[in-house]
Amino acid sequence: MQSKVKESQVVIVGAGPAGLTAAIALAREGIRTLVLERRLHPSREPRATAISTSTMELMRSWGLEAELREGDLDVELQPWITETLAAAGAGHASDAGFPTREQSTVISPTAPAAFPQDHLEPVLERHLRSFSTARVERGVEVIGIRHFPDGVLLTVRDAGGGGERQIRSRYVIGADGVRSTVRRTLGIPAARREELGASLGVSFRAPLWELLGEYRYAIYWLTGRERPPVFVPAGLPDRWVFATYWDPARGAVEDLAPSDVTAWIRDAAGYEALDVRIDRIALVPFGVDLAERFREANVFLIGDAAHRVTPRGATGLNTAIRDGYDLGSKLAWVLRGWADEVLLDSYDAERRPVAEHNVARSADPTGSLRPVTAELRADLGGRIPHLWLPGDDHPISTLDLLGNGLTLITGPEAEPWEALAAATEAPVPVAVRSVDELTATALGIARNGALLVRPDGVPAGLWTDPDRAATELPGAVTALTEGPRRAAALAA
């Protein structure tokens, strides 16, 4: 006898960083959210370690920065180019698209970080479980998806012989990785797909920081070899990854003797007596994949399910997290009645250019080496500038002015804008926040003007005075909540 069908407003398939981020964005707005994960436990592999500016800004806004930085490797997010680790003093840094600590003090209220994914995921999951509207079920596999006019019916199977059951949801998010069951079930093909090779990846532990001393960087590229290997710090206190090109003609990675791998690591490090403890040896294929579309009816794809990248540029994890936040926030607006479903069309439209950029970058053999000025735009997504403001107890950033609705940032004379915002009929709240004249000027706001900003910091309207905005502000709000066609109709 089949059990009763469970229901949730949103079901997320996959409890990796993308899925957990989307779930948190929803749960923080009171949306009933269920996360299904095939794995019984969070990842125990370091995986991605480079955490971008935009990701850390999001974590800071959620109050998670301090906990996450407990696992920070305290490195510059740049490659250090050297012949061996022992010769690091003769090496030099290069630009990989991440701002340095010094640059970050101007760009953001926080800074990029380096901590492993198996530190990130438990922090996100604990935060998610603190919300009464969120549930995480592990050991659950999705085996069927059926569309209905008002939602989706999932058929799932529990691990350990628990049998099949069904879950009904208004929306489903596929965050289940590069081998996404959700994407495969939907039959969404690739707009671009390339297999680019494979590398030998070795997770190990060794006291390399003693050898490196002050030269603390996110990756070490070794020169003087035909196919230079790399060392990547992967966790505290002494977790590392050694990676090098692997020719399949050399045989199976499984047949490698640990003693041979240890010898390669010692040779590349330039330290014959290095104490190496190998945790894992694996063949790591790399390539790119970009889904033709990120949506099928009420089912969406985020993260690796939507776009796969190589390690070049270290964009995969950060792009996935911003996918999750973007879609989760927009779904929350729709489910709270703040916006029409047309808002959801903007998910693919806004996230695809970023995915295309990062896929192309990661396929480029020189994609790891990019100037900060070129890559920061893709990471920050056009948000307003960060500027420090005086606060009650400590300075706050202009980014801290933003809420979960819309924000009108004005100069010192906020009263006319407060009256205008109150008179604007909109389902979404419009908060007015005033700043000093100097800050307003730096934000591009005229003396009597105002800037309308989305929760993600992206500007949505700019006016020089309240009189002009009186006729235009309602249309700008409508464009965000009901779509450009409706806004144009109202303006006509």
Side-chain angles (χ1 to χ4, degrees):
M1 181 176 173
Q2 195 172 49
S3 60
K4 182 180 178 181
V5 177
K6 288 187 177 181
E7 294 191 4
S8 185
Q9 288 175 285
V10 181
V11 171
I12 299 172
V13 183
L20 291 171
T21 301
I24 291 169
L26 288 157
R28 289 176 66 92
E29 298 301 320
I31 306 302
R32 297 193 315 279
T33 307
L34 171 62
V35 179
L36 305 176
E37 172 55 56
R38 182 175 53 83
R39 300 174 300 167
L40 293 174
H41 306 284
S43 172
R44 294 190 174 103
E45 295 295 326
R47 300 182 185 272
T49 57
I51 313 300
S52 75
T53 305
S54 68
T55 297
M56 288 308 298
E57 287 179 353
L58 178 61
M59 298 301 114
R60 174 181 176 272
S61 73
W62 286 349
L64 301 178
E65 181 178 14
E67 185 177 4
L68 287 170
R69 289 201 184 273
E70 290 175 4
D72 194 355
L73 294 164
D74 189 28
V75 298
E76 286 283 10
L77 284 180
Q78 294 176 298
W80 189 258
I81 301 173
T82 177
E83 186 173 354
T84 65
L85 297 185
H92 65 276
S94 189
D95 200 343
F98 288 88
T100 64
R101 291 188 182 96
E102 185 176 0
Q103 291 169 332
S104 294
T105 61
V106 178
I107 294 167
S108 175
T110 181
F115 45 78
Q117 191 167 323
D118 59 357
H119 173 64
L120 170 66
E121 286 187 14
V123 172
L124 291 178
E125 187 166 335
R126 282 194 297 271
H127 185 57
L128 175 62
R129 290 179 182 272
S130 70
F131 297 97
S132 61
T133 54
R135 299 199 327 272
V136 179
E137 294 185 11
R138 290 188 171 273
V140 180
E141 180 181 10
V142 173
I143 59 175
I145 300 174
R146 291 178 61 192
H147 296 281
F148 290 91
D150 60 346
V152 184
L153 184 68
L154 294 177
T155 301
V156 303
R157 180 167 52 215
D158 296 323
E164 297 180 6
R165 55 192 172 95
Q166 292 184 316
I167 302 170
R168 185 184 294 274
S169 180
R170 175 82 175 272
Y171 299 102
V172 169
I173 300 175
D176 49 344
V178 295
R179 299 179 183 84
S180 172
T181 298
V182 174
R183 177 174 166 183
R184 186 175 65 251
T185 303
L186 296 175
I188 296 179
R192 176 177 181 178
R193 179 177 291 156
E194 295 177 62
E195 294 299 329
L196 300 174
S199 63
L200 173 69
V202 183
S203 300
F204 70 99
R205 298 168 193 266
L208 287 175
W209 289 125
E210 296 178 15
L211 182 67
L212 288 160
E214 63 184 287
Y215 301 101
R216 299 183 69 96
Y217 288 82
I219 187 170
Y220 298 85
W221 290 350
L222 306 189
T223 61
R225 293 165 173 79
E226 182 179 355
R227 295 185 181 274
V230 300
F231 284 95
V232 180
L236 297 173
D238 288 306
R239 296 171 67 196
W240 291 81
V241 169
F242 173 78
T244 187
Y245 170 78
W246 183 256
D247 185 350
R250 299 181 65 175
V253 167
E254 294 79 7
D255 296 333
L256 283 174
S259 58
D260 290 337
V261 177
T262 297
W264 297 343
I265 292 173
R266 287 172 173 166
D267 176 66
Y271 188 49
E272 294 183 2
L274 184 68
D275 179 17
V276 177
R277 291 165 290 166
I278 293 177
D279 292 332
R280 185 171 179 261
I281 302 172
L283 185 68
V284 183
F286 59 93
V288 298
D289 181 284
L290 179 65
E292 184 180 77
R293 58 189 182 278
F294 296 165
R295 179 183 185 182
E296 182 73 29
N298 282 9
V299 183
F300 299 82
L301 301 177
I302 64 175
D304 288 350
H307 39 72
R308 172 193 176 199
V309 298
T310 73
R312 296 176 188 136
T315 61
L317 171 68
N318 299 295
T319 308
I321 285 175
R322 297 307 299 195
D323 284 354
Y325 173 69
D326 184 272
L327 180 58
S329 299
K330 287 171 177 173
L331 284 171
W333 271 36
V334 171
L335 290 167
R336 291 193 66 172
W338 288 2
D340 188 88
E341 287 201 358
V342 72
L343 175 67
L344 303 179
D345 293 338
S346 67
Y347 166 65
D348 194 309
E350 293 184 356
R351 294 305 299 166
R352 181 168 295 275
V354 179
E356 290 175 339
H357 173 86
N358 290 334
V359 164
R361 179 186 178 187
S362 79
D364 180 356
T366 64
S368 291
L369 298 177
R370 295 286 176 87
V372 174
T373 52
E375 297 306 321
L376 201 59
R377 292 192 299 270
D379 183 45
L380 298 184
R383 62 138 172 87
I384 62 172
H386 150 69
L387 299 165
W388 287 118
L389 301 166
D392 294 336
D393 300 317
H394 52 77
I396 64 171
S397 168
T398 46
L399 304 182
D400 298 328
L401 301 177
L402 308 178
N404 55 359
L406 296 173
T407 303
L408 260 179
I409 302 178
T410 78
E413 298 179 9
E415 292 82 359
W417 292 101
E418 290 172 347
L420 181 57
T424 299
E425 295 183 2
V428 61
V430 181
V432 178
R433 304 296 299 270
S434 65
V435 298
D436 62 89
E437 191 167 346
L438 187 61
T439 302
T441 301
L443 291 173
I445 303 171
R447 182 178 180 85
N448 297 318
L451 178 68
L452 183 68
V453 188
R454 303 185 333 188
D456 57 2
V458 174
L462 179 65
W463 296 275
T464 56
D465 62 76
D467 292 337
R468 181 177 177 182
T471 58
E472 296 180 0
L473 178 60
V477 174
T478 300
L480 291 169
T481 58
E482 298 183 46
R485 289 184 183 178
R486 171 66 172 157
L490 289 176

